[in-house]
Amino acid sequence: VIAIIDTDCDPTDIDIPIPANDDSSRSVQLIIDPLTDAIVKDQVLAALDGLTPDQIKSAIFAYEPVWAIGTGKTCDAVEANRVIGLIRSAIDQVAGAGAAAEVIILYGGSMKPENVRELVEQPEIDGGLVGGASLKAASFCELAKVAKEVRGA
């Protein structure tokens, strides 16, 4: 497992327009942190250095924002998806076009029953690297149930 951790992106900086089915007028501005993008790309390239394309394709990657570690906070699903997309681009850069499609990339960072659906519905996120939610059987079972519903696996 190769873990990728970003730096400064704080969930209070990430706001995505509320979906059309939400009748509220809330919306927030998405602030893309170029430092996060550069650090994540550098971490991926460093982690992959010296690996063959076959070794890379057999690796499982996990992305967790550094500010989420141990906090109970979760990155906005759209932002997590965007960053995981950057990870896939870096993988393709090293292992060849299309290689990233064969790689499993998980989101860490407080995946729990309240947010699992939104996270695993994102096209770049293959699943979750579950921490505290795995310590309670009911919570973990709910995560697995929702992921199976969404992914059909």
Side-chain angles (χ1 to χ4, degrees):
V1 174
I2 299 172
I4 307 300
I5 302 170
D6 78 19
T7 57
D8 308 312
C9 182
D10 184 290
T12 58
D13 291 341
I14 302 168
D15 248 331
I16 307 301
I18 304 302
N21 61 356
D22 185 330
D23 61 358
S24 74
S25 60
R26 296 175 293 137
S27 70
V28 189
Q29 179 183 4
L30 174 61
I31 297 173
I32 297 173
D33 182 356
L35 182 59
T36 293
D37 293 5
I39 289 172
V40 168
K41 183 177 180 182
D42 286 350
Q43 287 181 335
V44 174
L45 295 177
L48 301 180
D49 187 41
L51 298 179
T52 68
D54 286 339
Q55 289 171 319
I56 293 168
K57 291 176 192 175
S58 68
I60 297 174
F61 292 75
Y63 164 69
E64 179 171 6
V66 72
W67 53 259
I69 298 171
T71 66
K73 294 181 179 181
T74 305
C75 187
D76 178 87
V78 173
E79 175 64 1
N81 188 69
R82 185 189 73 78
V83 174
I84 290 175
L86 292 173
I87 293 168
R88 290 193 190 279
S89 294
I91 291 168
D92 280 347
Q93 180 182 331
V94 174
E102 299 180 44
V103 171
I104 295 171
I105 305 180
L106 308 174
Y107 173 76
S110 300
M111 184 176 276
K112 46 196 160 212
E114 299 80 39
N115 60 31
V116 63
R117 180 172 305 278
E118 185 178 16
L119 288 162
V120 297
E121 284 178 340
Q122 300 299 314
E124 301 291 353
I125 299 174
D126 294 320
L129 179 64
V130 181
S134 68
L135 299 176
K136 296 179 183 172
S139 176
F140 188 73
C141 286
E142 182 64 21
L143 291 173
K145 177 184 161 193
V146 171
K148 184 176 181 179
E149 265 177 39
V150 172
R151 295 292 176 158

